[in-house]
Amino acid sequence: MASYDVIVIGSGPGGYVCAIRCAQLGLKTACVEGRDTLGGTCLNVGCIPSKALLHASHQLHEAEHNFAKMGLKGKAPSVDWKQMLTYKSEVIGQNTQGIEFLFKKNKIDWLKGWGSIPEAGKVKVGDEVHEAKNIIIASGSDVATLPGVEIDEKIVVSSTGALELPKIPKKMVVIGAGVIGLELGSVYSRLGTEVQVVEFLDTITPGMDAEVQRTFQKLLTKQGLSFTLGAAVQSVETNKNKAKVTYKLKKDDSEHTIDADVVLVSTGRKPYTDGLGLDALGVKMSPRGQIETDAHWATNVKGIYAIGDCIAGPMLAHKAEDEGMAVAEVVAGKHGHVNYDVIPGVIYTHPEVANVGKTEEQLKEEGRAYKAGKFSFMGNGRAKANFAADGFVKILADKTTDRILGAHIIGPMAGDLIHEICVAMEFGASAQDLALTCHAHPTYSEAVREAALACGDGPIHS
Ligand code: FAD
Ligand code: NAI
């Protein structure tokens, strides 16, 4: 039996970042992980592998669509799917081994196996029970299944199966037009698969700024994805190597079927807390299966904390990381803080989509007086040169104080551009503060400045 200041359960972005910060703050730390490699969902079957496939398939798209226009002639590359999967696996390996290195560097013990909490202050891994003054649960999330749909990870797949398909399918039905469906749908569409997305609601990417939703759907449709909205999937049947998806259109209750080689179920994720023994401990859970925590990530059981996908809030790696760092500060007796009003969201399609803060729809609902400054990438020289002029930047600011309340970007490098607005919001900046900041030319970031100018006397280039 070993004794620790902190034992973190789970080594995803929440858990591993938390463990490293705890060690940096001088706490004797261990991290329990049941997978063969560190890094959780994000590094093994989430953020990183999906971005590798998005990158590779985007390069193909560029070669097929834009190279010849720039005088780069020749046949577009053909796809060696096996090699693309090897590249993806190598990227995963580099990242997961990187965390192992960081654990060693920070003298964090990796307790290999599945952990449970037999009582407060104790963590059991295999046959060994370890003592811990503080236990931090970062056990993450798992795929949420649909009634009538059985995931076999061969024909009917979750994101995990979709990252490992033995071959590129001819036809794929994606259930759910959320982040996973659109990212992985884009990958296969670029590789030549006919992709049909079936979504329960009447818009794609629910909760996102409506103007962005419309532009996004239009651009993805232009790329070849098709959308069936307002459709409730009833069942998926499989027969040998084929699947049949049955859905009902909400507007007239009519029933339809689609045949597919692969069906991707991307209708959300749910907190994963199996096997931890939380019931017996009396840890309070929400009706949605999330561990309930207070403002300092403490559960109702003394000495037990929880962070990341297994608690409330957006299921995002950077949200989990921020909570990991903050709770480490708390258990070290310092002040940990996460500003939940400034957590960006990014969809890594092409173009990228990024948002932070309030949407126009939310501001209207709150009855708040605001102004919207918008600038199209059509007016941005760099975007035009790079065949990336689709999309816009929209900044929302308080009508009276000019303080930035939110931003919505669809366009090139949106996932990077959003951060200058995040920093501005953290500092309580006004749109004018952004507009008065010199931005290098020619960069995509000039579109952010122009949108800020559009909140005042007007942009220059439109
Ligand atoms: P996880 O990463 O889920 O890690 C939890 C870990 O805990 C797992 O490794 C699990 O094995 C381990 N564990 C659980 N229970 C136990 C136990 N009892 N004992 C030992 N170990 C245990 N987010 C983004 O921000 N950007 C993206 O681009 C992005 N892309 C994604 C793409 C896909 C396909 C998916 C599925 C998700 C993506 N996400 C993305 C979401 C992101 O992966 C999660 O928000 C993030 O991983 C949550 O981190 P976490 O530390 O809370 O949990
Ligand atoms: P999601 O919540 O983003 O989207 C699910 C979609 O499925 C919604 O549009 C919903 O209306 C729809 N849906 C639900 N039930 C349905 C039904 N019966 N029939 C048809 N449509 C239905 O969930 P998703 O895409 O599975 O992603 C899970 C989580 O992973 C998200 O919370 C996201 O934050 C995270 N993630 C983040 C990424 C990023 O930050 N780039 C990338 C991938 C995942």
Side-chain angles (χ1 to χ4, degrees):
M1 183 203 293
S3 196
Y4 294 94
D5 293 317
V6 181
I7 295 184
V8 183
I9 302 181
S11 72
Y16 86 72
V17 167
C18 177
I20 291 172
R21 179 56 102 222
C22 286
Q24 286 173 338
L25 293 171
L27 302 170
K28 188 173 181 228
T29 307
C31 181
V32 191
E33 176 55 63
R35 278 178 205 270
D36 293 339
T37 47
L38 299 171
T41 304
C42 179
L43 272 61
N44 289 284
V45 290
C47 327
I48 297 299
S50 60
K51 266 76 249 176
L53 293 183
L54 278 158
H55 175 67
S57 59
H58 178 60
Q59 300 301 314
L60 175 69
H61 184 272
E62 286 294 285
E64 285 173 343
H65 293 86
N66 293 328
F67 275 19
K69 291 183 216 161
M70 295 184 285
L72 299 170
K73 297 264 169 110
K75 262 176 55 188
S78 61
V79 177
D80 178 345
W81 179 234
K82 221 173 129 204
Q83 176 57 30
M84 203 178 277
L85 291 181
T86 302
Y87 149 71
K88 179 212 67 176
S89 301
E90 282 170 2
V91 172
I92 295 173
Q94 286 159 15
N95 280 276
T96 57
Q97 281 155 28
I99 308 299
E100 220 175 313
F101 164 79
L102 290 175
F103 272 18
K104 280 188 189 130
K105 183 179 157 199
N106 286 285
K107 302 193 171 39
I108 296 162
D109 290 342
W110 173 5
L111 307 176
K112 296 187 184 183
W114 299 100
S116 60
I117 310 173
E119 60 185 276
K122 294 209 161 61
V123 174
K124 188 166 183 240
V125 186
D127 294 333
E128 297 216 12
V129 178
H130 306 272
E131 277 181 355
K133 289 190 194 118
N134 302 281
I135 298 169
I136 297 166
I137 303 171
S139 52
S141 62
D142 199 1
V143 180
T145 44
L146 268 184
V149 181
E150 199 179 313
I151 294 175
D152 60 18
E153 297 296 13
K154 287 192 176 88
I155 301 174
V156 185
V157 296
S158 70
S159 53
T160 304
L163 292 166
E164 281 277 318
L165 292 180
K167 61 178 190 198
I168 299 167
K170 283 208 173 74
K171 166 96 190 192
M172 175 184 265
V173 169
V174 173
I175 308 178
V179 204
I180 291 182
L182 299 184
E183 285 189 353
L184 293 178
S186 288
V187 166
Y188 285 100
S189 169
R190 292 168 190 168
L191 297 175
T193 303
E194 183 192 343
V195 175
Q196 182 170 354
V197 184
V198 181
E199 164 61 46
F200 182 74
L201 298 174
D202 296 326
T203 58
I204 67 168
T205 56
M208 199 173 272
D209 181 271
E211 215 176 348
V212 171
Q213 284 175 335
R214 286 192 293 274
T215 306
F216 193 25
Q217 189 182 337
K218 226 182 272 168
L219 292 173
L220 290 176
T221 304
K222 217 165 101 186
Q223 289 170 21
L225 285 90
S226 69
F227 292 92
T228 307
L229 303 180
V233 169
Q234 308 294 303
S235 63
V236 178
E237 287 164 46
T238 54
N239 183 9
K240 289 188 189 139
N241 294 328
K242 290 275 178 199
K244 183 182 283 216
V245 179
T246 305
Y247 66 88
K248 257 189 189 169
L249 281 183
K250 285 194 289 173
K251 63 176 181 204
D252 56 10
D253 226 23
S254 58
E255 203 166 89
H256 304 261
T257 58
I258 324 168
D259 292 326
D261 302 302
V262 170
V263 177
L264 166 60
V265 183
S266 47
T267 50
R269 293 177 63 82
K270 57 172 194 244
Y272 179 79
T273 55
D274 293 3
L276 287 168
L278 301 186
D279 254 9
L281 277 168
V283 172
K284 253 198 188 158
M285 309 291 284
S286 79
R288 298 176 60 191
Q290 298 152 328
I291 300 172
E292 287 196 1
T293 55
D294 67 10
H296 299 105
W297 303 279
T299 68
N300 60 314
V301 178
K302 200 169 180 310
I304 302 182
Y305 300 79
I307 55 167
D309 278 10
C310 65
I311 69 167
M315 288 182 163
L316 295 172
H318 41 285
K319 177 259 191 189
E321 288 180 27
D322 276 26
E323 289 174 345
M325 282 198 278
V327 76
E329 304 276 338
V330 169
V331 298
K334 295 173 184 276
H335 186 71
H337 177 70
V338 174
N339 181 0
Y340 288 98
D341 290 334
V342 186
I343 295 185
V346 179
I347 308 181
Y348 298 84
T349 44
H350 193 78
E352 288 184 352
V353 177
N355 60 74
V356 64
K358 304 275 184 186
T359 62
E360 277 201 70
E361 291 70 35
Q362 283 171 328
L363 292 172
K364 279 181 193 148
E365 213 175 290
E366 289 171 14
R368 192 142 179 193
Y370 71 94
K371 50 192 172 174
K374 194 174 149 191
F375 186 78
S376 162
F377 280 101
M378 286 298 234
N380 179 276
R382 183 73 177 276
K384 276 208 285 228
N386 294 359
F387 306 109
D390 285 327
F392 58 84
V393 179
K394 179 157 78 175
I395 293 177
L396 306 172
D398 186 279
K399 193 153 193 174
T400 317
T401 65
D402 197 36
R403 190 176 175 145
I404 301 170
L405 304 172
H408 306 274
I409 309 179
I410 175 161
M413 306 293 285
D416 287 278
L417 295 181
I418 198 74
H419 292 96
E420 94 168 89
I421 301 167
C422 295
V423 173
M425 286 175 75
E426 284 287 0
F427 282 81
S430 64
Q432 194 184 29
D433 290 326
L434 267 189
L436 291 177
T437 304
C438 185
H439 285 64
H441 176 75
T443 60
Y444 298 134
S445 75
E446 288 172 288
V448 174
R449 183 191 202 178
E450 294 267 21
L453 280 164
C455 287
D457 295 332
I460 303 296
H461 295 91
S462 76

